[in-house]
Structures are given as C-alpha cells and as structure tokens.
C-alpha cells in the first residue's frame, strides 16, 4: 500500500525539474510552464472533492483499482502531448484520478489497530512522500536517457502493474454510509461545520503545503541559472536530499500514538518557519540550500502526519470524507502556493520567494496557536474502530 501511494502521486511532480526543458521544446513561457505544477495540484484537489468520498459509498478495493487504471491511461496523454494545452489536460486528468493514493491511506487506517494507527498511517505516508520527492529524481534521470516524455511512459506501465497487484492482494472493504452520492458530498460541508479541529487542521495543512510548494516550484528556476547552472537530472537529485525527511513520518506517527501529537505539530510548524533562514542564504550557497530543503521537508512531514492523526480520530465511520475535506484544503493550498510563486519569481526573484514561503510558514504557527486557545485537547486515544465490512480476497 505504501508503494502504491508513492507511485500514484509521483505523476503529479514529474514536470517540476523538467519545466525549463518542457518550455523550450513546446515553446512555452516560464509562467505558462509553471502552470503545470498548479494544474497538477488543482486536478488533485478536484479529485479529492469528487472521487475520494466514494470510499464511503462503494467497495474500496474496486474503487482503487479503477482509479489506478485510469491514471495509467491519462499518463499516456502527457507522454504523447504535442502542445502545451494537451500536456496541461493530461496533467489535470492524471492528477484527478491519482487521488487513488488518498483512498489507500484511510483504507490502511481502517485496517490498523487504533493503538497503532499513527505508525501505520506514517508507514503508508512514507511511501507517498517518497513518491512525491523521488518523482523529481526519476524524471530528471529519465529525461537524460530519452527526453522528458520517458518518465510518463514508465509510470503508466507501473500504474497498470499496481492496479493488478492491488486487485490480487487487498481485501474487499465496504464502509456503509447509507447516503446517496450528492448527500455524501454535502456531508463533507457538514463535517467541516461540525468539527472545529477539522477546520483548524485543514487550514494548517493548506498553509504548510503552500510554503512547501513555494520552494519546490521556484527551486528549478533557481538551479538552472547562475551560480548553479544545473541540468535537469542534477536538479532531480534534490529529491534524494529531501527524501530524508520522509523517513521521519513513521517517527512522528509513533510519537502521536504515545499522545504527543500536539508537540509534533508545534515542532513542525516552527521548524518550517525557521527553514526559510538557510533557504534565504541558499541563493548563493549550496550548503545552506541543502540545509533549508532538509529542514523544510522534515517539518512538512511532521505537520502532515500529526494533522492526519488528529482528524482520523474524529469520526471513523466518515474517514474518507474527513480525508477528502482535509486533503482538498491541503492541495488547494499547494496550488495557490505554486501559482503565487510563478508571479513572485518573475517580479522579485529568489528574495521574493523566500519572503512568500516564510509568510505562509508563519501562518501555520499562528493557526496552531489559535487552535490550542480555542479548542479542547484531543488525542488519538479516543479513536474507535470504523463500522466496516471486511471480506477476504480468498488468498
């Protein structure tokens, strides 16, 4: 399940180290090329609203397999795109169905014992985050071998393979919500209205991914110019550096299982803000740039994992809809961060990017502090098993 989530989200990040290469081949401006990042995050947010809640309505294994198969098909559109609009369309459609990863995460949370849910979610999210980060490394390396289209062909084949493996090895899982599809979507708004912790955590998550996206959208533009002048494959290697942060997801999950979820959130938001100090010096120093990337990634994973542990404890019977509400806010924040970055980069360069990223990170600290002042403490210890029907796959 961890591998499946990583491969699903990877397709949304292949373009980031290739923006300069894609813009030159397809004749796109820098601002238009940066829209590929925004399109991926916007499509993902749309899928979170429209598709992820289906996990509370239909059998989850079947839903996951269908979404993985469709993602493979849409990756082929990007692989064969001859113009910028076609590539944008393929990017949006791929992102839309790649929310299969967010069907798998609550699937794993439901299968897990409540006392180990943080560790299990952390393990699956480690795969997701590694996919997100290593996608840049893979796309950079494969572009050197066969051009920027190669990575889309390769991932399409891997998604078909994952659809087969999920069908073979996952159990059938039904969660009976008793709602029609329109009512199911409407209940997401109800959950946001009735659960203040969900609202606070959705806001924290949105600002955290916005700050994270500011860095990764601007990083390509920084590294292709002087004093760096790196190739696409070299830029992709930054994914290996940031992957170190993903390995902390299980640690954050274990701390949450032991009742330290608020401490993890506090540390994560403050580290995220602090990371922009070395990143500011990174315009001229590779060492400080590496330090900033690693710290920001550590902080982002800590915030994400602690947020998920809080929201999954709220209403187990509505876990897919809660995940949909949270992740929609999360990726809308990321899309806004990417869109703002392209504008700020053109107008103010790296200094403007640093100010933007630090401001968004400061917002996460402020929201966490306001949450603590206005809501009662809650811990994952209050979690109870969801009402589900788990049917063995016969293997």
């Amino acid at each position: 399940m961890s591998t499946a989530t990583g491969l699903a989200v990877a397709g949304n990040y292949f373009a980031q180290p290739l923006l300069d290469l894609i813009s030159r081949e397809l004749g796109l401006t820098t601002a238009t090329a940066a829209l590929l990042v925004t399109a991926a995050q916007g499509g993902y947010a749309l899928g979170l609203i429209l598709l992820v809640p289906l996990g509370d309505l239909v059998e989850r294994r079947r839903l996951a397999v269908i979404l993985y198969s469709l993602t493979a098909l849409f990756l082929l559109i990007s692989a064969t795109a001859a113009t910028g609009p076609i590539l944008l369309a393929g990017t949006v459609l791929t992102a839309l169905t790649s929310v299969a990863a967010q069907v798998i995460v609550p699937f794993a949370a439901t299968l897990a014992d409540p006392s180990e849910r943080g560790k299990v979610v952390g393990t699956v999210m480690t795969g997701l985050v590694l996919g997100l980060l290593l996608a840049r490394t893979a796309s950079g390396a494969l572009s050197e071998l066969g051009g920027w289209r190669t990575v889309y062909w390769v991932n399409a084949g891997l998604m078909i393979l994952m659809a087969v493996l999920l069908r073979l090895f996952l159990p059938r899982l039904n969660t009976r919500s008793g709602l029609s599809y329109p009512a199911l979507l409407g209940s997401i708004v109800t959950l946001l209205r009735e659960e203040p912790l969900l609202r606070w955590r959705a806001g924290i998550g949105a600002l955290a991914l916005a700050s994270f996206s500011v860095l990764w959208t601007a990083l390509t533009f920084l590294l292709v110019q002087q004093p760096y002048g790196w190739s696409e494959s070299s830029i992709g290697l930054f994914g290996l550096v940031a992957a170190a942060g993903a390995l902390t997801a299980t640690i954050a999950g274990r701390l949450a299982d032991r009742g330290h979820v608020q401490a993890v959130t506090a540390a994560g938001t403050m580290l995220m803000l602090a990371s922009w100090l070395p990143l500011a010096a990174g315009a001229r120093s590779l060492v400080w740039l590496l330090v900033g990337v690693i710290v920001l990634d550590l902080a982002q994973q800590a915030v994400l994992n602690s947020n998920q542990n809080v929201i999954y404890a709220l209403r187990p019977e509505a876990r897919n809809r809660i995940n949909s509400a949270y992740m929609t806010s999360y990726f809308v924040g990321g899309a806004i961060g990417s869109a703002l970055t392209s504008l700020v980069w053109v107008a103010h360069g790296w200094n403007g990017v640093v100010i933007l990223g630090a401001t968004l990170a400061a917002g996460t600290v402020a929201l966490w502090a306001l949450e603590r002042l206005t809501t009662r403490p809650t811990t994952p210890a209050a979690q109870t098993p969801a009402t589900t029907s788990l049917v063995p796959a016969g293997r």
Side-chain angles (χ1 to χ4, degrees), residues 370-381:
L370 288 171
E371 178 204 301
R372 293 295 82 212
L373 292 172
T374 58
T375 60
R376 293 181 179 181
T378 183
T379 70

Side-chain angles (χ1 to χ4, degrees), residues 318-350:
R319 194 162 281 142
N320 278 276
R321 282 167 285 162
I322 285 175
N323 194 49
S324 174
Y326 174 78
M327 284 295 177
T328 299
S329 301
Y330 185 68
F331 282 97
V332 165
I336 292 173
S338 297
L340 290 175
T341 302
S342 61
L343 298 175
V344 170
W345 173 265
V346 172
H348 304 289
W350 185 251

Side-chain angles (χ1 to χ4, degrees), residues 155-371:
N155 199 43
L158 291 173
M159 292 300 289
I160 287 293
L161 175 62
M162 290 312 305
V164 173
L165 293 176
L166 291 174
R167 177 62 182 80
L168 291 174
F169 293 110
L170 284 187
R172 292 176 57 198
L173 180 61
N174 289 298
T175 302
R176 300 181 179 90
S177 66
L179 299 173
S180 65
Y181 181 62
L184 195 72
L185 296 182
S187 69
I188 297 174
V189 178
T190 301
L191 287 168
L192 282 166
R193 184 175 64 249
E194 295 179 351
E195 297 289 349
L197 275 175
L198 178 57
R199 294 195 300 272
W200 284 115
R201 293 291 165 156
I204 292 170
L207 289 175
L209 189 62
S211 182
F212 187 73
S213 297
V214 166
L215 169 66
W216 285 101
T217 303
L219 193 60
T220 300
F221 301 133
L222 174 69
L223 294 176
V224 297
Q225 68 178 22
Q226 295 303 320
Y228 294 104
W230 286 15
S231 67
E232 285 75 17
S233 59
S234 298
I235 295 171
L237 290 175
F238 256 83
L240 294 175
V241 175
L247 302 179
T248 66
T250 53
I251 298 174
R254 290 175 187 272
L255 289 171
D257 288 336
R258 296 172 184 172
H260 304 302
V261 67
Q262 295 300 338
V264 172
T265 308
T269 55
M270 293 175 186
L271 279 174
M272 181 171 290
L273 177 57
S275 70
W276 285 98
L277 288 173
L279 286 171
R284 296 287 174 182
S285 169
L286 178 59
V287 173
W288 284 118
L289 187 63
L290 289 170
V291 170
V293 168
I294 292 172
V295 173
L296 179 60
D297 192 58
L298 288 169
Q300 157 67 10
Q301 303 321 314
V303 171
L304 174 58
N305 192 268
S306 61
N307 283 350
Q308 287 177 309
N309 275 278
V310 169
I311 64 171
Y312 287 162
L314 296 175
R315 297 193 189 182
E317 78 283 356
R319 194 162 281 142
N320 278 276
R321 282 167 285 162
I322 285 175
N323 194 49
S324 174
Y326 174 78
M327 284 295 177
T328 299
S329 301
Y330 185 68
F331 282 97
V332 165
I336 292 173
S338 297
L340 290 175
T341 302
S342 61
L343 298 175
V344 170
W345 173 265
V346 172
H348 304 289
W350 185 251
N351 289 336
V353 166
V354 169
I355 293 172
L356 174 62
T359 301
L360 293 167
T364 67
V365 179
L367 286 186
W368 175 79
L370 288 171
E371 178 204 301

